[in-house]
């Protein structure tokens, strides 16, 4: 075989190889396109839902923040199906959201086999899915009883507060874990809970005042309380201050899942009232003079069950890069209230405070 013929065969083989690769790429592109089209066109239980309030239905904002597992697909779905407050149409109870730049990290109560599931999404094209943020529990804690996590940023460290069940006593108490990355893995080497009063403690959330002082807010047995955190977030300082107890009929003896937000020099303590596994669960709020109190509970629930969605609870707050305030929360869908019939999906609503009154949209 001459050198020229050998070179020609090699050239033909190279062309066929390139054409084969191009064909594979084209097929993959068609498959991806088909998946995108299906995701965009299909309806889900999260479409066309809105919450109730004293001022009327609360529908989704037309421009929700870019968080959730679908990324650009979700944006296209918003265009096709209209606004939806749902950013994760699957079980993601008691959510809290941390934003770093254009990246968002959402943490939730144990579900889908994770102790602390986290959604990590990055900007508009994020494709976040649930991952494990807390792979190992401390020796004193029971599995499947980790809930209502909240993360504080301290320098290059991330501090996770969460509820856990003490195996020996069955009490629900608070613990703390640490990580060098926002999605974890968080590590908890504690020999005992951080907070464990008589009657137990649940639902920790973090609030950082304009001064930079961080507070941990949680539910003690029968009251929502607040206490300052140390500079590194590893411990509490001072004494706890009582912020709120159940005093209104709609609360039915229960207030929990607190979260505080500041606006124009005022402090708003949002919380869930009534019983979490019922459609009567709802969100209320109180106004507070300081993060340590005193607080005045505003009459009536502020956000309630509505069209296609029931039992909103676990309010939390974060801002987008423009400074716009958002509320995260969880709720049941289509009257499938309570496990194992339903799940509590992650919703996000835009917040504003006209004349000092909180309004969701």
């Amino acid at each position: 075989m001459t050198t020229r013929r050998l070179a020609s065969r090699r050239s033909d083989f190279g062309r066929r190889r390139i054409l084969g690769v191009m064909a594979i790429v084209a097929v993959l592109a068609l498959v991806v396109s088909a998946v995108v089209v299906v995701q965009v066109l299909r309806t889900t239980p999260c479409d066309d839902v809105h919450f109730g309030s004293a001022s009327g239905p609360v529908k989704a904002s037309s421009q929700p923040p870019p968080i959730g597992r679908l990324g650009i697909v979700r944006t296209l779905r918003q265009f096709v199906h209209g606004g939806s407050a749902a950013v994760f149409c699957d079980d993601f109870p008691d959510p809290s959201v941390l934003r770093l730049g254009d990246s968002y990290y959402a943490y939730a109560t144990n579900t889908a086999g994770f102790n602390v599931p986290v959604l990590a999404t990055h900007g508009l094209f994020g494709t976040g899915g649930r991952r494990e943020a807390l792979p190992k529990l401390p020796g004193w804690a029971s599995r499947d009883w980790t809930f209502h996590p909240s993360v504080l940023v301290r320098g290059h460290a991330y501090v996770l507060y969460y509820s856990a069940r003490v195996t020996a006593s069955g009490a629900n108490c608070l613990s703390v874990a640490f990580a060098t990355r926002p999605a974890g893995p968080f590590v908890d080497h504690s020999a005992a809970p951080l907070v464990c009063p008589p009657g137990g403690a649940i639902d920790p959330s973090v609030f950082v005042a304009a001064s930079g002082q961080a507070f941990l807010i949680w539910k003690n047995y029968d009251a929502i309380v607040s206490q300052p955190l140390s500079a590194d977030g590893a411990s509490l300082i001072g004494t706890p201050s009582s912020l709120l107890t159940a005093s209104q009929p709609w609360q039915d003896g229960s207030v929990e899942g607190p979260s505080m937000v500041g606006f124009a020099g005022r402090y708003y303590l949002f919380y869930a009232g009534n019983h979490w596994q019922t459609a009567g669960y709802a969100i209320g709020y109180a106004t507070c003079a300081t993060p340590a109190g005193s607080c005045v509970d505003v009459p009536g629930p502020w956000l309630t069950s509505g069209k296609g969605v029931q039992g909103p609870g676990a309010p939390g707050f974060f801002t987008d890069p423009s400074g716009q305030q958002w509320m995260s929360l969880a709720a049941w869908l289509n009257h499938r209230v309570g496990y194992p019939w339903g799940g509590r999906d992650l919703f996000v609503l835009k917040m504003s405070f006209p004349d000092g009154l909180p309004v969701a949209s």
Side-chain angles (χ1 to χ4, degrees), residues 87-178:
V87 295
F88 191 73
C89 195
D90 203 344
D91 194 40
F92 203 76
D94 305 324
S96 66
V97 177
L98 172 69
R99 181 185 64 83
L100 299 172
D102 66 348
S103 297
Y104 298 82
Y105 301 86
Y107 311 87
T109 281
N110 58 271
T111 186
F114 301 115
N115 293 320
V116 175
V118 58
L119 288 171
T121 63
H122 306 282
L124 181 63
F125 295 93
T127 54
R130 286 176 297 198
R131 295 187 292 170
E132 179 64 86
L134 184 65
K136 185 177 180 180
L137 299 177
W140 55 266
S142 299
R143 189 171 175 83
D144 298 327
W145 289 93
T146 51
F147 45 97
H148 209 285
S150 182
V151 172
L152 172 68
V153 181
R154 277 295 174 256
H156 297 291
Y158 301 89
V159 189
L160 169 72
Y161 305 94
Y162 67 100
S163 303
R165 174 157 291 187
V166 180
T167 304
S169 66
N172 292 317
C173 299
L174 308 185
S175 195
V176 59
F178 303 88

Side-chain angles (χ1 to χ4, degrees), residues 261-268 325 352-354 356:
V261 62
F263 181 81
R266 301 182 68 182
Y267 299 93
Y268 299 81
Q325 191 73 240
S352 59
F353 294 84

Side-chain angles (χ1 to χ4, degrees), residues 247-255 271-275 280-285 297-304:
S247 60
Q248 299 187 53
W250 74 268
Q251 298 162 350
D252 199 20
S254 176
V255 290
Y271 63 88
N274 210 292
H275 305 285
Y281 207 50
I283 294 174
Y285 78 95
D297 200 9
V298 176
W302 174 76
L303 195 74
T304 64

Side-chain angles (χ1 to χ4, degrees), residues 5-345:
R5 291 178 62 189
L6 180 60
S8 177
R9 288 193 175 187
R10 286 177 177 174
S11 178
D12 289 342
F13 175 76
R15 284 194 293 269
R16 288 196 298 269
R17 187 174 182 180
I18 292 172
L19 290 173
V21 171
M22 293 176 62
I24 293 172
V25 170
V27 170
L28 290 175
L30 288 173
V31 171
V32 171
S33 298
V35 170
V36 169
V37 169
V38 170
Q39 291 284 356
V40 168
L41 295 180
R42 74 183 183 94
T43 59
T44 76
C46 294
D47 293 325
D48 192 28
V49 303
H50 59 254
F51 297 91
S53 75
S55 59
V58 177
K59 298 182 179 181
S61 168
S62 61
Q63 294 182 326
I67 65 176
R69 63 178 175 178
L70 296 179
I72 189 63
V73 175
R74 178 172 181 269
T75 302
L76 293 173
R77 279 182 48 77
Q78 292 287 132
F79 179 78
V80 173
H81 296 288
S84 173
V87 295
F88 191 73
C89 195
D90 203 344
D91 194 40
F92 203 76
D94 305 324
S96 66
V97 177
L98 172 69
R99 181 185 64 83
L100 299 172
D102 66 348
S103 297
Y104 298 82
Y105 301 86
Y107 311 87
T109 281
N110 58 271
T111 186
F114 301 115
N115 293 320
V116 175
V118 58
L119 288 171
T121 63
H122 306 282
L124 181 63
F125 295 93
T127 54
R130 286 176 297 198
R131 295 187 292 170
E132 179 64 86
L134 184 65
K136 185 177 180 180
L137 299 177
W140 55 266
S142 299
R143 189 171 175 83
D144 298 327
W145 289 93
T146 51
F147 45 97
H148 209 285
S150 182
V151 172
L152 172 68
V153 181
R154 277 295 174 256
H156 297 291
Y158 301 89
V159 189
L160 169 72
Y161 305 94
Y162 67 100
S163 303
R165 174 157 291 187
V166 180
T167 304
S169 66
N172 292 317
C173 299
L174 308 185
S175 195
V176 59
F178 303 88
T180 57
R181 295 181 296 173
F186 287 86
V187 177
D188 185 345
H189 289 309
S190 63
L194 173 69
V195 177
C196 199
I202 60 172
D203 299 350
S205 68
V206 174
F207 174 71
V208 181
S211 64
Q213 175 63 59
F215 292 81
L216 191 65
I217 303 172
W218 72 94
K219 179 188 176 179
N220 266 355
Y221 175 66
D222 61 353
I224 292 175
V225 300
S226 169
Q227 190 169 347
L229 284 159
S230 61
D232 61 1
S235 60
L236 293 162
I237 56 178
T239 58
S241 303
S242 179
L243 302 182
L244 187 72
T245 58
S247 60
Q248 299 187 53
W250 74 268
Q251 298 162 350
D252 199 20
S254 176
V255 290
E256 60 188 21
S259 184
M260 184 170 282
V261 62
F263 181 81
R266 301 182 68 182
Y267 299 93
Y268 299 81
L269 175 67
F270 286 80
Y271 63 88
N274 210 292
H275 305 285
W276 66 270
Q277 72 277 28
T278 72
Y281 207 50
I283 294 174
Y285 78 95
T287 57
C288 303
T290 73
S294 58
C295 298
V296 178
D297 200 9
V298 176
W302 174 76
L303 195 74
T304 64
S305 297
K307 178 185 176 183
V309 63
Q310 291 79 40
F317 295 90
F318 65 97
T319 58
D320 64 23
S322 73
Q324 171 64 52
Q325 191 73 240
W326 297 85
M327 171 186 277
S328 60
L329 65 143
W332 309 95
L333 290 175
N334 292 333
H335 303 284
R336 298 177 67 87
V337 179
Y339 296 111
W341 301 278
R344 291 177 286 170
D345 294 13

